[in-house]
Amino acid sequence: MKITGIQLFWLMICVVTGLGILYALPHSIEMAKQDAWISIALGGFMGAVVLFVMMKVNVIFPNQSIIQYSQSILGKWGGRMIAIPYLLMWYVEGGMVLRSSTDFIYITLFNKTPIFILSLMMLILAVYIVYVGGIVGIARCSEIMGPLILFMVVFTCMFNLSNMDWNQITPIYTDSGWRSIVKGSVTPLSFFGDVVVFSMVFCFAVDMRKSAPKALWGLLVSILMIVLSMIVIITTFGPNLSYRLWFPYYHMTRLISVFGFIENLDFFAVVVWMFSMFIKSSLVLFAAVYGTAQWFNVQQWRKLLWVVAPTVLCLSLLPKNINEAVIGHVYIWQFIVLPLNIIAIPLLLWVVGILRHHANKRVRQS
């Protein structure tokens, strides 16, 4: 299984942009008010640093996933222990992404359909693409869906210009201050930090040195789209109303009306967001399955789908409602995943990996 640099670019766009616009915005607006777009940019920059660190480790240990190179860096048992938090993260994230996706579909389209049925349908699609196509199938789907996601964001922002009031975004910095802006960047950083899932993807790149910049560009374009979306939302609803909405961007698309002719764009936005949800659900499911197979040294990794998928489905059904799901997601990511999986372990692997790489290089030269 091999994927190209351009596929990495579109995969990054699909994973980050769609769900980032839906879920990374309200908390930042609550913290930083009209300066929330600065918080998003700051969180995105720190997320790009995390991705850069992960790519550097993958360049040192090409053709290895984080489950494998953690053992190369820290030894068999140390590496296996370090890999456990990531496996747990992908199981939990798989359930959270699945639940977030079905909650959005339930609220916007099928509010009389049981959550269990919607979750099951989404999971069946993800299981199918992972089982049949693996990471290559997911990457090829992203090449089709990625341009649609970018087009949807630019198209809806452009046609919402008549609803925007630029006074809503001023004054810049004065009312919030750096502390509120930094606090508002924590949730976006937790979200952008999800790019650590690509530590299970980079090992499939045709040429990691050439593909890495394309993945980074994909993240930067996604950050730009989310910052643009934040500015459009604040100038449309104002900071006080925006953070009270579950899906402010979706509500913004419902306001679009161009000469009474171009209207009801929310349906198209929902369809495109479903594409993004499908790609991310599939990618996280693949990471959980493939990572578990590598941890247990199982060669036929697809067989583990029949264990991992029901586990993810059960985890997605644990929250009683959307409020409990969102609060649980934010708490777990900010206080557990962010400090451990996104910051501490990648830095540890990078530093120790560089030291071990140079030590092995000296031994070979001597």
Side-chain angles (χ1 to χ4, degrees):
M1 294 188 294
K2 288 294 180 180
I3 58 177
T4 63
I6 194 65
Q7 287 176 330
L8 272 176
F9 173 85
W10 288 118
L11 196 56
M12 188 69 71
I13 294 289
C14 290
V15 168
V16 176
T17 306
L19 288 176
I21 290 174
L22 280 183
Y23 294 105
L25 305 186
H27 187 265
S28 295
I29 299 174
E30 183 179 5
M31 292 290 105
K33 303 301 181 184
Q34 69 269 18
D35 293 322
W37 63 274
I38 305 177
S39 297
I40 294 291
L42 179 60
F45 171 76
M46 292 185 286
V49 172
V50 172
L51 180 63
F52 178 79
V53 169
M54 301 300 296
M55 291 189 303
K56 283 295 184 182
V57 179
N58 268 102
V59 168
I60 298 173
F61 300 94
N63 303 319
Q64 294 186 38
S65 71
I66 191 172
I67 308 297
Q68 296 170 315
Y69 65 65
S70 61
Q71 297 180 44
S72 300
I73 295 171
L74 302 175
K76 180 178 179 181
W77 293 107
R80 288 171 72 87
M81 293 301 294
I82 284 291
I84 290 176
Y86 286 101
L87 293 177
L88 293 176
M89 169 187 173
W90 293 324
Y91 276 82
V92 173
E93 185 178 14
M96 288 179 172
V97 172
L98 184 61
R99 181 56 184 266
S100 299
S101 305
T102 52
D103 278 336
F104 177 69
I105 296 170
Y106 177 81
I107 290 173
T108 57
L109 293 178
F110 304 113
N111 50 26
K112 294 185 179 180
T113 305
I115 289 290
F116 171 77
I117 299 299
L118 295 175
S119 298
L120 184 61
M121 293 299 102
M122 286 288 294
L123 185 61
I124 289 173
L125 290 174
V127 168
Y128 175 78
I129 191 66
V130 171
Y131 187 86
V132 174
I135 188 61
V136 176
I138 300 171
R140 287 175 178 172
C141 286
S142 71
E143 287 185 283
I144 299 172
M145 299 176 183
L148 293 176
I149 292 172
L150 284 187
F151 176 77
M152 183 274 295
V153 175
V154 175
F155 182 78
T156 51
C157 289
M158 181 177 64
F159 280 101
N160 190 61
L161 288 173
S162 61
N163 297 321
M164 295 167 62
D165 178 8
W166 291 98
N167 292 321
Q168 299 272 22
I169 208 169
T170 57
I172 297 175
Y173 185 79
T174 305
D175 290 348
S176 303
W178 68 269
R179 290 186 179 180
S180 296
I181 292 173
V182 171
K183 287 181 181 178
S185 70
V186 174
T187 298
L189 173 58
S190 302
F191 183 85
F192 291 125
D194 278 353
V195 293
V196 295
V197 73
F198 281 84
S199 61
M200 290 296 300
V201 178
F202 289 143
C203 58
F204 298 104
V206 174
D207 185 342
M208 187 55 201
R209 290 186 181 275
K210 294 181 179 179
S211 299
K214 292 183 176 64
L216 187 58
W217 273 111
L219 179 60
L220 294 177
V221 170
S222 297
I223 294 168
L224 178 62
M225 291 297 102
I226 296 174
V227 170
L228 175 64
S229 302
M230 175 67 86
I231 292 173
V232 172
I233 287 170
I234 294 174
T235 54
T236 300
F237 296 112
N240 294 323
L241 176 59
S242 297
Y243 84 88
R244 291 186 171 90
L245 302 172
W246 280 116
F247 309 113
Y249 199 91
Y250 167 73
H251 289 287
M252 183 270 290
T253 60
R254 302 185 69 180
L255 296 178
I256 294 175
S257 177
V258 182
F259 304 120
F261 177 70
I262 300 177
E263 295 180 327
N264 301 320
L265 296 181
D266 52 303
F267 174 76
F268 297 99
V270 169
V271 172
V272 173
W273 273 315
M274 287 173 65
F275 290 161
S276 179
M277 296 168 184
F278 165 67
I279 294 294
K280 184 159 188 176
S281 296
S282 302
L283 184 63
V284 174
L285 181 63
F286 172 80
V289 173
Y290 201 79
T292 303
Q294 288 187 328
W295 202 90
F296 286 106
N297 296 315
V298 177
Q299 296 298 320
Q300 296 180 326
W301 60 271
R302 286 179 172 84
K303 291 184 177 180
L304 292 179
L305 265 173
W306 314 120
V307 177
V308 177
T311 304
V312 168
L313 179 62
C314 292
L315 290 172
S316 73
L317 297 174
L318 288 180
K320 296 178 181 178
N321 50 55
I322 185 174
N323 188 53
E324 191 173 305
V326 171
I327 292 175
H329 191 171
V330 170
Y331 180 85
I332 292 173
W333 249 241
Q334 286 190 6
F335 296 102
I336 301 175
V337 172
L338 177 60
L340 181 63
N341 296 48
I342 296 176
I343 297 177
I345 296 179
L347 286 175
L348 173 66
L349 293 175
W350 185 38
V351 172
V352 178
I354 290 175
L355 294 176
R356 175 156 290 193
H357 177 69
H358 287 306
N360 293 338
K361 193 174 182 180
R362 288 194 212 99
V363 170
R364 288 194 299 269
Q365 289 175 348
S366 61

